[in-house]
Amino acid sequence: MTEHEDSRPSTNPRVSIITIAYENRDGLKSTVESVLAQDARRSDWELVIVDGGSMDGSFEYLHSIDHFANWSSQPDRGVYHAMNIGLGRASGDYHIFLNAGDIFFDTESLSTVINALVTNPTWLVGGAMHMNPGGAPFVVANRPHRWERHALGFQPHCHQACVFRADLSSVLGGYSEEFGFAGDFDFILRAGLVESPLEVGEIIARYEGGGKSATGGDETPQLLHRIRVERMQLGRIASAIDMIVVRRQQLRQRAVSVKRRLLLK
């Protein structure tokens, strides 16, 4: 019997690995294979998959992993609605989101997380690597945790490298569907107001990137501004000052875009 098949009762916290998928069977398979490769004891984790009613063969694949995955496949209102469905299906003490195509950094990543969680932190943040399709992978500069830098959008945490206690998610009311593609930014902002995270030195996740939050252009700083105004209850003057930050970020993003276009010529 291998270590991760150990049948002895475990006193470790149980982690729910929640995967959101839609029309991405290959990415889903990569994520599932990464989970199954972990050396953590099987009793210390569960896999919850929420598929948005894919028609690309994902449904048939999900049936093939019935024996170890808790899954559903039905239309939803979008990624954050699906994430809240996942939270409702999860039974672990903590949860981490690895969506279709995201993977653990190596086979010891989940064990690293579980070992850190024995101290019962409210939430945890570890290192993350952007797989950067078409380029060289790079480590995301998301530590040390500085709530104000996340809140201002200067150093937002990688959501795939964050682990949250189940009762925190319940208190926060899950993920808001009101902030477009920035629901995870909003969730981390609110988590940081409750308590600073435990920081783990190791990289725990690799993610594909390329989502709307990474490609939203001018829309992203505006959306983060809207979240700050609502969550921090900024008044008229504070909101105007915050817009100065937004304009600087937009100018910076435009400069980066111009540089990339020039490099591609």
Side-chain angles (χ1 to χ4, degrees), residues 7-225:
S7 61
R8 293 172 297 176
S10 174
T11 58
N12 292 329
R14 192 162 186 251
V15 177
S16 296
I17 303 156
I18 306 175
T19 297
I20 308 305
Y22 182 65
E23 302 291 355
N24 188 6
R25 181 187 60 183
D26 291 342
L28 176 59
K29 291 176 69 174
S30 294
T31 302
V32 171
E33 288 167 3
S34 171
V35 172
L36 292 179
Q38 295 302 297
D39 66 358
R41 291 164 55 126
R42 180 63 184 83
S43 59
D44 287 344
W45 59 269
E46 67 170 347
L47 178 59
V48 178
I49 301 173
V50 180
D51 176 70
S54 299
M55 302 294 289
D56 65 343
S58 294
F59 184 76
E60 292 76 12
Y61 173 68
L62 288 168
H63 270 290
S64 75
I65 58 174
D66 257 338
H67 55 294
F68 65 83
N70 171 355
W71 64 271
S72 65
S73 182
Q74 59 189 8
D76 53 56
R77 296 191 298 267
V79 63
Y80 296 110
H81 179 222
M83 288 165 70
N84 287 330
I85 292 173
L87 290 177
R89 297 181 68 92
S91 62
D93 304 298
Y94 287 85
H95 71 266
I96 181 173
F97 280 92
L98 286 183
N99 293 338
D102 301 328
I103 61 176
F104 282 112
F105 181 70
D106 59 30
T107 59
E108 299 177 357
S109 296
L110 184 55
S111 290
T112 297
V113 167
I114 292 171
N115 290 338
L117 294 179
V118 297
T119 60
N120 196 36
T122 302
W123 64 295
L124 171 155
V125 60
M129 177 173 284
H130 191 312
M131 291 188 281
N132 192 24
F138 61 90
V139 176
V140 179
N142 67 329
R143 295 167 299 161
H145 170 73
R146 296 289 184 270
W147 179 86
E148 65 280 2
R149 288 186 62 79
H150 173 83
L152 291 171
F154 294 139
Q155 187 180 310
H157 286 311
C158 173
H159 188 250
Q160 293 91 329
C162 294
V163 185
F164 303 96
R165 208 165 64 199
D167 58 356
L168 173 66
S169 299
S170 177
V171 167
L172 295 180
Y175 292 82
S176 174
E177 298 177 51
E178 302 301 316
F179 298 120
F181 53 80
D184 49 350
F185 171 90
D186 169 62
F187 189 91
I188 294 172
L189 181 147
R190 291 184 288 139
L193 286 173
V194 174
E195 187 174 307
S196 295
L198 173 67
E199 295 184 31
V200 172
E202 292 86 347
I203 299 172
I204 61 176
R206 305 174 193 249
Y207 71 103
E208 290 188 320
K212 190 67 184 293
S213 61
T215 61
D218 283 359
E219 187 179 356
T220 301
Q222 285 278 15
L223 190 53
L224 303 192
H225 166 72

